[in-house]
C-alpha cells in the first residue's frame, strides 16, 4: 500500500495545498516527471520518502511518499 502527497509548491514557503493519490495513479499521471528524494525515513512497517517532484517547464513542488511494508525486512550490508 502506498500514498503520495503532492503539494502546490515547495513546503516552507507560506500556505500550501495539495492532493493525496495512490501509487498507480502517481505512476500514470507523473510518468515523465522526476521525484528527487531528499529525506528517507524508516519507522516500523512504514517507509517515508520526502522530496521534490519535478515536471518539465514547471517549478518543483514538494511531495511525500508513504509506503506500508509487509513481510520481513532484509538489509544487505557490504563490508
Amino acid at each position: 500500500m502506498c500514498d503520495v502527497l503532492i503539494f502546490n509548491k515547495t513546503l516552507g514557503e507560506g500556505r500550501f495545498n495539495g492532493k493525496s493519490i495512490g501509487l498507480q495513479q502517481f505512476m500514470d499521471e507523473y510518468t515523465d516527471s522526476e521525484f528527487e528524494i531528499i529525506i528517507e525515513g524508516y519507522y516500523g512497517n512504514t517507509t517515508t520518502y520526502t522530496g521534490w517532484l519535478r515536471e518539465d517547464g514547471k517549478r518543483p513542488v514538494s511531495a511525500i511518499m508513504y509506503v506500508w511494508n509487509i513481510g520481513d525486512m532484509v538489509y544487505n550490508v557490504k563490508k
Side-chain angles (χ1 to χ4, degrees), residues 1-54:
M1 186 168 164
C2 178
D3 286 328
V4 183
L5 305 178
I6 302 171
F7 299 91
N8 66 327
K9 59 180 7 181
T10 303
L11 298 181
E13 297 180 0
R15 292 180 166 260
F16 59 87
N17 60 41
K19 61 182 177 177
S20 174
I21 61 176
L23 180 61
Q24 188 60 55
Q25 183 179 353
F26 175 75
M27 292 184 334
D28 293 342
E29 291 183 19
Y30 295 92
T31 301
D32 298 323
S33 301
E34 176 184 336
F35 181 36
E36 178 184 353
I37 297 170
I38 298 171
I39 300 171
E40 294 180 34
Y42 304 95
Y43 313 100
N45 291 337
T46 62
T47 303
T48 304
Y49 300 106
T50 304
W52 289 351
L53 181 63
R54 299 176 187 274

